[in-house]
Every structure is written in structure tokens, then in C-alpha cells.
Amino acid sequence: MESQLWNWILPLLISSLLISFVAFYGFFVKPKRNSLRHDRKTVSTVTSDVGSVNITGDTVADVIVVGAGVAGSALAYTLGKDKRRVHVIERDLSEPDRIVGELLQPGGYLKLLELGIEDCVEEIDAQRVYGYALFKNGKRIRLAYPLEKFHEDVSGRSFHNGRFIQRMREKAASLPNVQLEQGTVVSLLEENGTIKGVRYKNKAGEEQTAFAALTIVCDGCFSNLRRSLCNPQVEVPSCFVGLVLENCNLPYANHGHVVLADPSPILMYPISSTEVRCLVDVPGQKVPSIANGEMKNYLKTVVAPQMPHEVYDSFIAAVDKGNIKSMPNRSMPASPYPTPGALLMGDAFNMRHPLTGGGMTVALADIVVLRNLLRPLRDLSDGASLCKYLESFYTLRKPVAATINTLANALYQVFCSSENEARNEMREACFDYLGLGGMCTSGPVSLLSGLNPRPLTLVCHFFAVAVYGVIRLLIPFPSPKRIWLGAKLISGASGIIFPIIKAEGVRQMFFPATVPAYYYKAPTVGETKCS
């Protein structure tokens, strides 16, 4: 009876309040507008040392793509399939070895289907993922993806990141109009405020220049070009420590596993038929030293006792084997400068905490939006008009991208333990709320999976968790201490989600149709210049 009550009544009770609040916030808080002419780093300018190349004439390529990771490779194939001449420059074309980018949510797989590159998850021993399992203090719940309305092939996929990227690169390079080259891009080339191409060093170390009507920077989270094209506000809330558990039987086959440990979550999911990726989150920017054995001691004494008993032995064996890697987790809201001749995409442009595995879904969704915008254009050479038109890209992508970003960053804060009693109550409430079933489970999981990335749904469920936590505190008898703790819980929840939403952009996230760029039409040569 209690489960049915929360399933149907609770979200309805708070939705009207939240809709009113968000509407007020969205219409009366004006988003900051980035300007090409303010606070912008200067990029390299084309001078006489370029030699005899005439950059105002015909270009060798229609599009230069900097970086051939997931975003760059998928973008190159997509534009190449639309008959664009694409020149891809990647720093290292050997198979990457990373500990993230290994879980593609079902929403991301749908984008692979839309782009026609779903075969890239074949022949790499990729594993199907059908949901998540949550663990906390000996309790466990299973959360299934709501896949009933989709074809049986639709599910999450988990795999070795490097194998997936190599398949994407092969797919892109199979097109005759796509050139894939190993080289390190040194700088963008600018003339009269328009990006005309890049300067790079090829595999032999020789300095080269490449020119195109449009340069798209997809060089990842360590991008050295983003400062020329956006105002990066990068935060590093934590680091992931990665191990591979061999021949490990997870408690729930074909599921991601999240342990709400102290001090922060632990993730596990299969990446092949014999391997499980384990990611231990360590708050802050410093992790125990791997070299002097501090990390092994930390993993054995702090982390191992909190692992599900089914994986304990495999975890200890992986620690003893010693193949331990770490990497910082970055978060950066999209804050681009509209720049004629250039565009940012992927992790170079926008990042969120990797807890929910939403990064590839955002990147692939962005590629679908950009492809649809560019398809009506036969000529990309008018950089100013194209720049103005592509401002619509930043608006059209926002509801999906901002929902996934907000969920990831907010959920990470909720899942971490805290000395703050109200924050810990929110953590407990979140775990129990997800276990209620019905829409209390399917709603958040549809957001997590990228199958229903709607901003208002996210806000409603987030505050439904908070209200659920308050009511739990007030039953059976609301003492003054519990009432005060409930008030702090609501305040803490607001303090988590509203700053994230503000950074993402309230108006574009909730009311994109009120943004003029939403209605921009494909330009013709000589149309309005970029402001």
C-alpha cells in the first residue's frame, strides 16, 4: 500500500510546485551570453610563413576533425557518409587503453542505430547490459532498464574502450572521402576572426598546415585547443582507480553494479566475457600512491570490506596482481564562444562525472543534432553565416545533454557519504526510493539510461527523493529535531541541484523554444554575420 502511494501520488504532489518554480526561474533569470569578442584567448594567426597556400581559395577538405576518439570517429563517419570531405587528425592511432568510456547506455545505443554505426559494438566481445544493481550496508536492489517498448537488440553495451574506438576508426576510414592521419595539432589557424584550419605535426614530426571550411575540435578531456573556443570551468571532484577483475561472477549478470561505499561509490560492470571493470571513486584530486604500495593497502583495508561477498576474492586477486590505474574525473559545463569556422564537441566541449556512464550518449546525441543541422548545407565556406546558424546547435542539444549532465553530477554528490547528517539522510532516501518500484524506479532509471532525458522529469524525481526523505523523518512522530533535519535535507537538495542547473543554463535546459537560436534556418551565402 505504501509503495502504491509513493508510486502515484508523491510525484504528482510536488510536480505543480516544481513547474511553477522552474518557470519563474527560467523566465526571470537571464543566462549569461558568451561573446566572441570578450575574454577570448587568441589563437594562432595565419601569416606569411604558411607559404604559397591560398587559404581564401578552395580547401582540401570540407571539415577537419581534431581527434579520433568516440566523438571524432563517429562524427567523421557521419559527415563522410553525407559526402563531406573529412580530414581527421589524431595524436595516436594505436588502440587506446583507458579505464572509462566502457559503458554505453541504451540511449547511446539508440544513437548508434540512428547514425548507422551499431556494428561497431560487434566482434569486440561487448556485453549486453540490462540495468543496475545497488548495494548499501548489506542491502541490495536491482534496477532494470525500461526496455519493453524497444526492439530486443536495444540494451546497454559494455566493452573495452580501445576496441570500440578502433572499430569506429576503421568504420570512418572505410569511406573514400575520409582521410585519417596521425598527427598532433599544435594550434588553430585564424584569419580575420575566422578559423581556417589547423597547424599540426605529422607522424614524422614535420610541421604541416591543413585547411577546411569547418574545423571541429574533438580532442578529449585533455584538450589543448578548447581555451580558444570556450570558457572552460573544469572541476575535478574525484579520481577513479581502475582494476580488471578476471573470471568474476557478478551478483547480477549483465548489470552494472554500484556500491554506495564510504567515502564514495564503487562501480563494476563486465567489459568482456571474462573481465569485469571495477572503478573505485576516491574523492579529491589526490589518490594514495600506487608506486609505494599505499594504494594496495587502501584498496584492501578500506574498499575490500565494503565489496559484495561474491566479488571479494576476485577483487583481492586483482589488487595483488597490481595492474592498477587512476585518472581524474572532470566536470565542465558547455560554455562556448561562437567562433566562425570552428566548433567544439565531445569531452573537449562538455564533461560530467562519469558515475552514470553518460558521456558517450551525450556525444552521440550531439552528433545527431549537428548532422541534421548540416545536411541542408551544400557549402560550408561562409564561416560567419555558418557560425550564426550553428548557435542553434547549442540550444537544440541542451535538454538532452543538460539532463544527463545534471543527473550525473547530482547523483555523485548524493551517493557520497558525508559528515552532514542531512546529506546522509538524502543518500538513504535515494536508495530506498529507487527500491519502491513503479515510476519511482522506472522514472530515474529511464533518465540514467538516456531513454527519457527530460529535465523536468529529473527535477521532479530529485525532489521526490528529498520529500520522501523528509516524510520518513516525520513518521511516526515529528520531533523538533527531525523537523529541523528535514528542513536541512530540502535545503541541501536544493544546494546540490540548482547550482548545477544554473551552470548548464536554465532557459536553454527547460525552455529552449524561448531562445531565438532555436528557430535559426540554414543560411545562404552572404547572410547575417556571427555576432
Side-chain angles (χ1 to χ4, degrees), residues 74 77-78 81 111-121 164 168 171 364:
Y77 175 77
T78 300
K81 195 168 63 170
K111 297 302 177 183
L112 285 185
L113 289 169
E114 196 169 347
L115 294 170
I117 50 179
E118 68 278 6
D119 58 339
C120 290
V121 297
F164 180 56
M168 301 271 274
K171 186 86 171 177
L364 294 170

Side-chain angles (χ1 to χ4, degrees), residues 3 9 13 65 113 115 136 211 248 287 327 369 457 490 495 504 515:
S3 175
I9 298 179
L13 287 176
V65 176
L113 289 169
L115 294 170
K136 186 178 187 301
F211 303 97
C248 172
V287 299
M327 68 162 291
V369 172
T457 302
I490 294 292
E504 290 290 336
V515 180

Side-chain angles (χ1 to χ4, degrees), residues 1-14 432-433 436-441 461 463-472 475:
M1 187 67 182
E2 180 185 2
S3 175
Q4 293 177 355
L5 175 69
W6 289 113
N7 287 348
W8 298 103
I9 298 179
L10 178 57
L12 294 176
L13 287 176
I14 64 170
D432 291 343
Y433 180 88
L436 289 174
M439 66 186 302
C440 296
T441 299
H461 279 288
F463 278 98
V465 170
V467 172
Y468 175 68
V470 170
I471 294 177
R472 286 179 2 138
I475 295 175

Side-chain angles (χ1 to χ4, degrees), residues 104-417:
L104 180 67
Q105 297 288 2
Y109 183 76
L110 289 175
K111 297 302 177 183
L112 285 185
L113 289 169
E114 196 169 347
L115 294 170
I117 50 179
E118 68 278 6
D119 58 339
C120 290
V121 297
E122 298 174 1
E123 300 178 4
I124 60 173
D125 200 16
Q127 303 298 297
R128 291 174 180 266
V129 179
Y130 296 109
Y132 275 87
L134 263 60
F135 299 78
K136 186 178 187 301
N137 297 335
K139 298 185 294 183
R140 54 182 68 185
I141 54 176
R142 188 177 75 88
L143 310 173
Y145 292 141
L147 300 173
E148 297 81 5
K149 297 180 181 179
F150 298 94
H151 186 272
E152 62 180 10
D153 191 50
V154 177
S155 67
R157 295 292 196 281
S158 53
F159 38 69
H160 280 270
N161 172 267
R163 296 176 187 174
F164 180 56
I165 287 178
Q166 290 301 89
R167 288 278 287 161
M168 301 271 274
R169 290 171 176 173
E170 292 168 6
K171 186 86 171 177
S174 68
L175 298 176
N177 50 318
V178 175
Q179 177 191 357
L180 193 60
E181 179 180 5
Q182 183 163 306
T184 302
V185 175
V186 178
S187 61
L188 302 174
L189 300 176
E190 181 184 75
E191 183 185 72
N192 299 325
T194 299
I195 303 301
K196 296 292 186 177
V198 299
R199 180 177 283 113
Y200 70 102
K201 291 184 178 180
N202 63 17
K203 189 174 182 179
E206 302 166 337
E207 189 167 283
Q208 305 281 325
T209 52
F211 303 97
L214 179 62
T215 299
I216 304 178
V217 176
C218 305
D219 56 346
C221 61
F222 299 104
S223 173
N224 63 345
L225 300 177
R226 67 161 65 101
R227 289 189 177 276
S228 303
L229 303 172
C230 76
N231 178 30
Q233 302 291 328
V234 180
E235 295 183 1
V236 183
S238 66
C239 297
F240 266 159
V241 176
L243 307 95
V244 173
L245 314 186
E246 298 178 342
N247 299 309
C248 172
N249 293 319
L250 290 170
Y252 298 90
N254 299 104
H255 282 66
H257 291 60
V258 182
V259 181
L260 303 191
D262 184 5
S264 52
I266 303 164
L267 306 183
M268 290 177 288
Y269 45 84
I271 54 173
S272 75
S273 54
T274 61
E275 298 166 300
V276 169
R277 169 65 70 195
C278 178
L279 295 172
V280 178
D281 186 85
V282 179
Q285 299 184 29
K286 295 184 66 176
V287 299
S289 172
I290 296 175
N292 66 12
E294 288 181 2
M295 179 60 74
K296 279 190 175 183
N297 181 63
Y298 176 82
L299 294 174
K300 286 186 173 183
T301 60
V302 176
V303 178
Q306 303 183 74
M307 300 291 283
H309 64 86
E310 294 94 333
V311 304
Y312 180 86
D313 291 341
S314 297
F315 181 79
I316 293 296
V319 173
D320 288 337
K321 189 173 182 179
N323 187 20
I324 304 171
K325 299 180 180 180
S326 68
M327 68 162 291
N329 295 323
R330 290 173 167 81
S331 174
M332 185 184 77
S335 184
Y337 301 129
T339 306
L343 197 69
L344 272 170
M345 292 196 73
D347 283 351
F349 168 53
N350 185 203
M351 294 179 283
R352 77 292 308 149
H353 195 283
L355 173 69
T356 59
M360 290 188 287
T361 300
V362 171
L364 294 170
D366 284 354
I367 291 170
V368 171
V369 172
L370 183 63
R371 178 201 64 181
N372 294 340
L373 287 173
L374 292 181
R375 269 185 171 171
L377 305 180
R378 289 176 295 178
D379 183 7
L380 305 179
S381 62
D382 188 343
S385 296
L386 181 63
C387 171
K388 186 70 177 178
Y389 172 58
L390 288 183
E391 284 187 31
S392 60
F393 166 74
Y394 303 121
T395 300
L396 294 171
R397 71 175 292 274
K398 184 61 76 169
V400 171
T403 300
I404 294 173
N405 295 344
T406 303
L407 176 65
N409 294 333
L411 205 57
Y412 174 71
Q413 294 186 50
V414 171
F415 278 1
C416 287
S417 64

